[in-house]
């Protein structure tokens, strides 16, 4: 008898991903469901299934899968990003912004969190109509959420006073050209439904279930109006700037379409590269990054306006992949290429990212003094207290490895000060432990005991049982 091939978790994931890329999301969903039966609770599979649900318009299940991945690992970057993307698609821009910020705090090196922050802030501003009402400087997440809730209540109250009638809401009009751009392929459906409204005999008829055809048609138009309004206000600022630039250049329609296709292709390729690395397929991620680098180098700056930034980003991705494979020299070379491109093109964020990555490679190689020198170059580029907290901590940890306890204690205290400014308990814990360990090497045992006791209290707040046991020991 012929035996069927055994379905493995890896095969199902690969097949599901391939089907999803071809737009066959229903079939892909079946593959991800089968994969989760073989390996229940796999966070990477949950995220790929969440993306599939989102493309099918099932935001509820997409959100459930994203949250399930975070229950397994609260610091899972892809889980935080996918939850933020789902909340954003649902129109919960304030809470999406919270999770974009949370992801950026944990992984400042992942650029898509910053893009998410930009578009969520833009969406909130478009909703409220007051840019000064949305500020995140020196605030905590909960304060931000409560303030947004208050602004939303004021907005809802104002909307209630000027609330249009049901029919007005359903038949809200905009210029045909604007609607065509916002609705895309759905514009033809809306035009068809509006044409049906003119057929009085049809509008007076009912379905077998007793529902009036007119109500069904108006509901359809209302839904399309809501989608039009949603896409109009949620479109990020950088996309608008890019489109205006193309319009000013007066390109022909086919040229615009070609540039749009290039942009979508780049975004998809970058997502694939990051996804491969997140799944542990570092070799495949590196291969795809090298292939994309060759492709981009063949395009002109007119076709890819941010060409130099993308090239640097790809070198960074290749460096991270080499590091994951244990290829330290190759990783160092790629991150130094990223640094060169950043400095030549005055890209401050990219320069900060490259210095951070180079420091990590040196630390992994045991070259702690080179890591310290690199990270000290990054200090002026740090943009937040939280970023300074982990940067000072890493420098202090290197000094500790070099048996330079006084310098380690000094940077540990700087890290603690920055963590206190941010109000981040987890980094307060790390910094306090570093200070205590440095004081042990300095034989200042009384101070070390006091700091270990403070760290133990922080570990109970996090909470982290492993940290508590380590501190007690």
């Amino acid at each position: 008898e012929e035996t069927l091939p055994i379905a493995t978790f890896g095969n199902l994931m690969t097949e599901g991903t391939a089907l999803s890329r071809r737009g066959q999301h229903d079939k892909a969903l079946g593959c991800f469901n089968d994969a989760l039966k073989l390996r229940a609770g796999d966070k990477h599979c949950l995220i790929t299934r969440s993306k599939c649900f989102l493309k099918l318009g099932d935001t509820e299940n997409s959100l459930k899968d994203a949250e399930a991945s975070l229950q397994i690992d609260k610091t899972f970057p892809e889980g935080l990003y996918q939850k933020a993307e789902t909340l954003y698609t649902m129109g919960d821009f304030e809470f999406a912004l919270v999770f974009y910020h949370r992801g950026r705090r944990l992984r400042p090196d992942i650029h898509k969190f910053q893009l998410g922050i930009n578009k969520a802030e833009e969406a909130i501003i478009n909703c409220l109509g007051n840019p000064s009402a949305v500020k995140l400087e020196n605030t905590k997440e909960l304060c931000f959420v409560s303030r947004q809730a208050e602004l939303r209540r004021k907005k809802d109250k104002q909307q209630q006073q000027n609330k249009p009638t049901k029919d007005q809401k359903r038949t809200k009009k905009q210029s045909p050209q604007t609607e065509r751009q916002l609705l895309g392929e759905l514009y033809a459906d809306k035009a068809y439904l509006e044409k049906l409204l003119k057929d009085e005999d049809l509008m007076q008829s009912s379905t077998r279930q007793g529902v009036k055809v007119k109500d069904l048609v108006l509901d359809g138009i209302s839904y399309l109006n809501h989608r039009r309004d949603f896409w109009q206000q949620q479109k990020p600022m950088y996309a608008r700037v890019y489109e205006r630039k193309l319009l000013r250049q007066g390109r022909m329609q086919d040229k615009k379409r070609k540039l749009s296709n290039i942009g979508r292709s780049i975004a998809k390729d970058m997502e694939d590269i990051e996804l491969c690395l997140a799944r542990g397929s570092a070799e495949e991620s590196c291969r795809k990054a090298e292939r994309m680098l060759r492709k981009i180098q063949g395009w002109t700056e007119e076709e890819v306006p941010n060409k130099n930034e993308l090239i640097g980003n790809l070198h960074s991705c290749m460096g991270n992949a080499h590091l994951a494979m244990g290829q330290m020299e190759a990783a160092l070379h790629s991150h130094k290429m990223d640094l060169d491109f950043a400095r030549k093109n005055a890209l401050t964020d990219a320069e900060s990212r490259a210095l951070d990555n180079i420091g990590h490679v040196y630390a992994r190689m045991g070259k702690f003094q080179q890591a310290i020198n690199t990270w000290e170059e990054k200090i002026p580029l740090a943009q937040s207290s939280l970023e300074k907290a982990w940067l000072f901590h890493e420098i202090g940890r290197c000094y500790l490895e070099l048996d330079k306890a006084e310098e380690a204690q000094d940077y540990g205290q700087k890290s603690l000060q920055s963590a206190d400014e941010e109000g981040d308990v987890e980094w307060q814990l790390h910094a306090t432990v570093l200070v205590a360990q440095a004081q042990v090497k300095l034989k200042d045992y009384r101070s070390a005991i006091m700091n270990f006791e403070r760290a133990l209290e922080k570990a109970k707040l996090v909470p982290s049982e492993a940290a508590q046991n380590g501190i007690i020991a």
Side-chain angles (χ1 to χ4, degrees):
E1 294 181 359
E2 292 184 1
T3 57
L4 294 172
I6 299 172
T8 65
F9 177 81
N11 289 341
L12 289 168
M13 285 289 291
T14 303
E15 184 181 356
T17 304
L19 288 168
S20 184
R21 285 174 182 167
R22 292 199 293 266
Q24 299 175 2
H25 305 302
D26 288 323
K27 292 181 180 179
L29 196 59
C31 291
F32 297 138
N33 290 337
D34 292 339
L36 284 168
K37 290 176 184 176
L38 296 175
R39 194 180 295 177
D42 183 88
K43 61 184 181 181
H44 297 294
C45 187
L46 284 168
I47 287 304
T48 51
R49 189 172 73 171
S50 174
K51 290 179 180 179
C52 198
F53 276 131
L54 194 59
K55 288 175 181 175
L56 289 168
D58 189 349
T59 52
E60 184 177 351
N61 280 318
S62 177
L63 186 60
K64 283 180 182 177
D65 276 354
E67 289 176 337
S69 74
L70 290 172
Q71 287 177 358
I72 298 164
D73 180 1
K74 292 181 181 178
T75 61
F76 183 39
E78 289 299 322
L80 289 168
Y81 183 75
Q82 183 60 19
K83 183 171 181 179
E85 286 285 281
T86 306
L87 288 168
Y88 181 82
T89 304
M90 295 168 73
D92 290 336
F93 305 120
E94 298 92 338
F95 289 103
L97 184 56
V98 168
F99 284 95
Y100 285 130
H101 270 286
R102 192 172 295 174
R104 193 183 188 286
R105 286 174 59 189
L106 289 169
R107 291 293 303 275
D109 56 309
I110 299 179
H111 187 53
K112 62 185 178 182
F113 284 119
Q114 184 59 54
L115 293 179
I117 290 169
N118 293 345
K119 68 179 182 182
E121 286 181 347
E122 176 69 13
I124 293 168
I125 290 169
N126 288 338
C127 285
L128 299 178
N130 181 9
S132 63
V134 184
K135 292 185 179 179
L136 292 178
E137 295 178 3
N138 300 322
T139 61
K140 298 180 182 178
E141 289 173 354
L142 290 177
C143 296
F144 167 73
V145 173
S146 63
R147 199 161 88 201
Q148 292 308 312
E150 183 181 352
L151 290 169
R152 179 181 276 183
R153 284 196 297 271
K154 289 180 181 178
K155 179 172 173 285
D156 290 344
K157 185 177 179 181
Q158 185 178 0
Q159 286 179 342
Q160 286 294 327
Q161 293 173 353
N162 303 311
K163 190 174 181 181
T165 64
K166 187 176 180 181
D167 285 341
Q168 285 174 334
K169 198 184 290 184
R170 284 177 169 179
T171 58
K172 188 178 178 181
K173 291 279 186 180
Q174 281 201 3
S175 71
Q177 185 179 2
T178 302
E179 283 200 326
R180 187 177 288 106
Q181 290 175 350
L182 293 169
L183 290 174
E185 295 178 359
L186 295 176
Y187 178 76
D189 297 330
K190 186 170 185 291
Y192 176 73
L193 291 173
E194 288 175 341
K195 185 178 179 181
L196 288 180
L197 279 176
K198 298 176 182 178
D199 190 336
E200 295 181 2
D201 293 336
L202 179 62
M203 292 303 101
Q204 295 301 319
S205 63
S206 301
T207 65
R208 292 180 182 177
Q209 290 76 24
V211 181
K212 281 192 174 182
V213 173
K214 183 178 181 180
D215 289 339
L216 290 174
V217 172
L218 287 173
D219 283 340
I221 293 173
S222 176
Y223 169 79
L224 292 173
N225 284 340
H226 279 107
R227 298 313 299 169
R228 175 201 65 199
D229 295 340
F230 172 76
W231 288 116
Q232 183 178 34
Q233 60 81 30
Q234 72 95 36
K235 198 171 189 181
M237 179 61 74
Y238 54 82
R240 296 177 187 173
V241 171
Y242 183 62
E243 288 180 359
R244 283 200 297 269
K245 184 178 180 180
L246 292 180
L247 290 172
R248 284 197 301 269
Q249 292 173 345
R251 298 296 182 192
M252 299 298 289
Q253 192 62 37
D254 57 343
K255 184 69 174 178
K256 294 177 189 175
R257 193 176 296 113
K258 180 184 175 182
L259 292 175
S260 178
N261 290 339
I262 290 173
R264 282 196 294 271
S265 173
I266 290 171
K268 179 179 173 298
D269 287 343
M270 291 300 296
E271 184 181 351
D272 287 346
I273 290 165
E274 290 185 1
L275 188 59
C276 284
L277 188 60
R279 286 178 180 168
S281 304
E283 189 175 350
E284 185 182 356
S285 175
C286 188
R287 231 179 7 251
K288 288 186 174 184
E290 290 171 347
R291 189 161 56 244
M292 186 178 174
L293 181 61
R294 289 193 295 271
K295 189 193 299 184
I296 286 179
Q297 286 171 338
W299 285 330
T300 64
E301 289 189 6
E302 185 181 21
E303 291 172 315
V304 186
N306 57 339
K307 180 178 177 179
N308 290 323
E309 186 178 352
L310 278 169
I311 290 173
N313 201 358
L314 285 168
H315 281 298
S316 177
C317 292
M318 288 158 59
N320 291 333
H322 284 305
L323 184 63
M325 292 186 285
Q327 299 168 358
M328 301 302 172
E329 292 297 337
L332 195 59
H333 174 73
S334 292
H335 288 311
K336 284 183 176 179
M337 289 290 290
D338 181 24
L339 183 61
D340 289 341
F341 268 91
R343 285 176 171 169
K344 285 177 182 176
N345 297 282
L347 302 170
T348 306
D349 289 344
E351 182 181 359
S352 179
R353 173 190 66 206
L355 288 169
D356 178 30
N357 289 328
I358 291 169
H360 278 299
V361 176
Y362 276 133
R364 284 277 296 274
M365 295 170 75
K367 297 181 178 180
F368 299 112
Q369 189 58 54
Q370 287 95 321
I372 290 168
N373 296 340
T374 303
W375 278 327
E376 284 181 341
E377 282 188 67
K378 176 182 164 66
I379 292 173
L381 303 176
Q383 296 182 355
S384 67
S385 296
L386 185 66
E387 189 175 1
K388 288 178 183 177
W390 64 257
L391 182 57
F392 290 145
H393 177 272
E394 295 302 300
I395 296 172
R397 179 62 57 191
C398 286
Y399 273 123
L400 200 64
E401 293 288 341
L402 293 170
D403 286 328
K404 295 182 178 181
E406 288 187 8
E407 290 87 345
Q409 180 181 238
D410 181 45
Y411 272 101
Q413 287 169 345
K414 287 180 179 179
S415 176
L416 181 59
Q417 183 182 351
S418 296
D420 287 339
E421 289 174 7
E422 188 69 25
D424 191 288
V425 178
E426 190 171 349
W427 279 106
Q428 288 170 356
L429 165 62
H430 297 322
T432 307
V433 169
L434 175 60
V435 171
Q437 289 174 327
Q439 288 168 342
V440 170
K441 284 187 177 288
L442 292 168
K443 298 184 179 180
D444 185 1
Y445 300 120
R446 188 176 299 278
S447 298
I449 290 170
M450 290 174 62
N451 277 308
F452 275 128
E453 287 174 347
R454 290 192 187 103
L456 185 59
E457 294 302 315
K458 300 292 182 186
K460 291 175 182 177
L461 291 173
V462 171
S464 172
E465 188 175 344
Q468 291 177 52
N469 293 336
I471 291 166
I472 291 167

